C-alpha cells in the first residue's frame, strides 16, 4: 500500500501590502536653482532693459576710450572722479575730441558738462559741441566732414553744478555703443577746460552667449 502523506493546510491570512520604494526625481525649481533653464540645456530667459536712469560712466569700456589734443596733466579720466579742480583740458588749442566707448549698448537720455574749477576761468568753458554716435577713430582730419547726431551750445549757466543736463534727441540715442564729443569752440580761452561729465541713461537688454550650453 502507498504510504499516506501528511495533509498540509494553509491558513489564509491577510498579508501586509508591500509597496515599491519611491524614486525621487530632482528638479532645479524645487531647490531654487539660479538658472533652471540653463541646467536643462534650454535657452536662457530674455534679458530685460534697465528700467531706471543711471550714470552710464559705470558702463564705460575704459580700454577703448581716448582723447585727442588732451593735456597729459588733465586727462579725460578726471571727468568722472567728481573734482572739478582736476578735470580735463585741451593742449595745443581750444579744440578737443573725446571718445567714450561702452561695454554694452545703452540708451542715452542726457549729458551734463560741468565747469572747470568751479568756474574760476569762464573763458575756458566749452561752448559748441558736436556729438557723434557709434563712430570709431575720428580725428581732427575728418571729424568736421562727418554729420553729428546732435550739436549743442552750452552757456555758463548750463555748466553750473546745480543745473540740469541737456536732453538729447530721443530717437537717435536709443542704441549707443560709443559717443564721440568734438569740442569745436570755447568761450574765448587759449585752451578748453571741463570740470566733469555725467551721462544719464539706461542699459539695453542683450543676450549673453555664455548663458547658452553647448549642445551635443
Amino acid at each position: 500500500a502507498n504510504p499516506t502523506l501528511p495533509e498540509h493546510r494553509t491558513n489564509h491570512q491577510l498579508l501586509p501590502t508591500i509597496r515599491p520604494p519611491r524614486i525621487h526625481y530632482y528638479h532645479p525649481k524645487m531647490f531654487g536653482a539660479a538658472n533652471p533653464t540653463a541646467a536643462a540645456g534650454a535657452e536662457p530667459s530674455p534679458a530685460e532693459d534697465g528700467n531706471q536712469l543711471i550714470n552710464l560712466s559705470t558702463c564705460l569700456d575704459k580700454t577703448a576710450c581716448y582723447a585727442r589734443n588732451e593735456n597729459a596733466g588733465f586727462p579725460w579720466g578726471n571727468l568722472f572722479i567728481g573734482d572739478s579742480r582736476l578735470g580735463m583740458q585741451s593742449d595745443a588749442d581750444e579744440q578737443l575730441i573725446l571718445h567714450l566707448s561702452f561695454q554694452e549698448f545703452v540708451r542715452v537720455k542726457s549729458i551734463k558738462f560741468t565747469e572747470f574749477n568751479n568756474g574760476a576761468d569762464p573763458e575756458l568753458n566749452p561752448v559748441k559741441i558736436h556729438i557723434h554716435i557709434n563712430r570709431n577713430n575720428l580725428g581732427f582730419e575728418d571729424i568736421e566732414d562727418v554729420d553729428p547726431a546732435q550739436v549743442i551750445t552750452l552757456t555758463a549757466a548750463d555748466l553750473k553744478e546745480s543745473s540740469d543736463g541737456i536732453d538729447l534727441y530721443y530717437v537717435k540715442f536709443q542704441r549707443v555703443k560709443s559717443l564721440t564729443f568734438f569740442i569745436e569752440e570755447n568761450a574765448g580761452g587759449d585752451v578748453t577746460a571741463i570740470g566733469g561729465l555725467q551721462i544719464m541713461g539706461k542699459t539695453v537688454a542683450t543676450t549673453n552667449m555664455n548663458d547658452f550650453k553647448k549642445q551635443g
Side-chain angles (χ1 to χ4, degrees):
N2 293 328
T4 300
L5 297 176
E7 183 179 357
H8 294 274
R9 296 180 181 274
T10 303
N11 294 326
H12 296 280
Q13 298 178 351
L14 291 177
L15 299 177
T17 302
I18 300 176
R19 299 181 183 274
R22 284 190 175 184
I23 300 176
H24 297 273
Y25 294 94
Y26 169 78
H27 192 285
K29 286 185 178 180
M30 296 172 60
F31 298 93
N35 191 355
T37 54
E43 294 183 3
S45 299
E48 296 183 355
D49 290 352
N51 52 19
Q52 290 187 343
L53 286 176
I54 62 171
N55 187 338
L56 293 174
S57 65
T58 60
C59 303
L60 289 176
D61 177 5
K62 294 183 178 180
T63 61
C65 300
Y66 63 83
R68 310 282 193 221
N69 193 34
E70 172 189 61
N71 184 329
F74 296 90
W76 68 265
N78 287 357
L79 294 173
F80 304 105
I81 62 177
D83 188 341
S84 71
R85 297 171 299 176
L86 300 178
M88 178 187 186
Q89 288 189 20
S90 62
D91 187 21
D93 57 28
E94 78 282 4
Q95 293 191 334
L96 261 173
I97 292 176
L98 172 63
H99 178 82
L100 300 177
S101 181
F102 299 96
Q103 298 169 11
E104 300 288 348
F105 285 101
V106 296
R107 290 189 174 96
V108 182
K109 181 184 184 298
S110 66
I111 57 172
K112 165 68 177 162
F113 286 93
T114 304
E115 60 190 355
F116 183 79
N117 195 19
N118 297 314
D121 300 295
E123 71 277 7
L124 305 184
N125 288 345
V127 174
K128 188 176 182 180
I129 302 178
H130 300 234
I131 307 173
H132 298 268
I133 303 170
N134 302 337
R135 296 277 189 172
N136 294 323
N137 302 315
L138 287 175
F140 289 106
E141 67 279 0
D142 56 6
I143 197 165
E144 294 187 74
D145 298 326
V146 180
D147 291 332
Q150 186 168 347
V151 178
I152 61 174
T153 301
L154 300 175
T155 66
D158 293 327
L159 294 163
K160 294 296 182 184
E161 188 75 36
S162 58
S163 68
D164 295 330
I166 305 295
D167 284 334
L168 302 179
Y169 297 145
Y170 178 81
V171 174
K172 291 187 176 182
F173 290 82
Q174 290 300 292
R175 193 170 176 82
V176 177
K177 189 62 168 62
S178 68
L179 293 172
T180 305
F181 300 97
F182 171 42
I183 293 85
E184 183 182 19
E185 299 174 3
N186 69 2
D190 291 335
V191 298
T192 295
I194 305 170
L197 173 60
Q198 188 177 66
I199 305 170
M200 299 301 294
K202 299 180 180 181
T203 56
V204 175
T206 56
T207 300
N208 185 346
M209 297 306 293
N210 292 328
D211 289 339
F212 288 90
K213 291 181 69 68
K214 293 183 179 180
Q215 301 296 317

